[in-house]
Amino acid sequence: MLTGKALIPVKVLRSFENWKEGDMILIEDWKARELWELGIVEIIDEADKVIGEIDKVLEEERKNAPISAIPENLYERAEFYIYYLEKYIQKGGEGNIDVIHTKLTKLKNLKKKYKMLKDIRFKKILEAVRLRPNSMEILSRLAPQERRIYLQISRIRNEWIGE
């Protein structure tokens, strides 16, 4: 789901509003999607950068028992680049089979690591709820999507066990 919280780098292909052809700008994920689909901008592919950030978080999560903070909007950026790579491949890219193969490899890697991240974080959220429901300290380390899960499961836990 594209939320407008993640900023995506794009290159303007056709003048639009106050942007000129060739401008490099950061725009919200939903706007990047719309303008890319209209052929107004070209997405600057930062999927490798997002994969690198996910790798760092995965390494940190494996080393530390408690849940740690993650880079802001990491989930949103990962979801954007999954969308972008899927669409790029569906459209057939520029017809260059090597580029399509590279994007496909990136997509598989990104999806795999994104799922691993969500699995590890979910397990840690469940453990945090078991040990420390409704903890402000835990909440401060969670992404917005994770906060919702943590608070809902904390509520259910407290209804069941008490506190």
Side-chain angles (χ1 to χ4, degrees), residues 29-73:
D29 53 9
W30 67 270
K31 197 179 293 184
R33 181 196 71 212
E34 298 281 326
L35 295 175
W36 179 61
E37 288 179 357
L38 292 170
I40 295 170
V41 300
E42 174 185 337
I43 304 297
I44 296 171
D45 187 349
E46 290 194 337
D48 288 330
K49 181 179 175 183
V50 172
I51 290 167
E53 288 181 50
I54 291 172
D55 281 338
K56 285 181 188 173
V57 173
L58 288 171
E59 184 180 323
E60 187 70 26
E61 289 297 336
R62 288 182 184 118
K63 285 193 300 190
N64 295 324
I67 198 161
S68 57
I70 64 172
E72 187 174 353
N73 299 322

Side-chain angles (χ1 to χ4, degrees), residues 121-136:
R121 300 285 291 183
F122 186 69
K123 288 174 187 169
K124 287 196 173 195
I125 289 169
L126 289 175
E127 185 63 10
V129 167
R130 188 179 75 77
L131 299 174
R132 297 179 61 197
N134 297 316
S135 163
M136 292 306 287

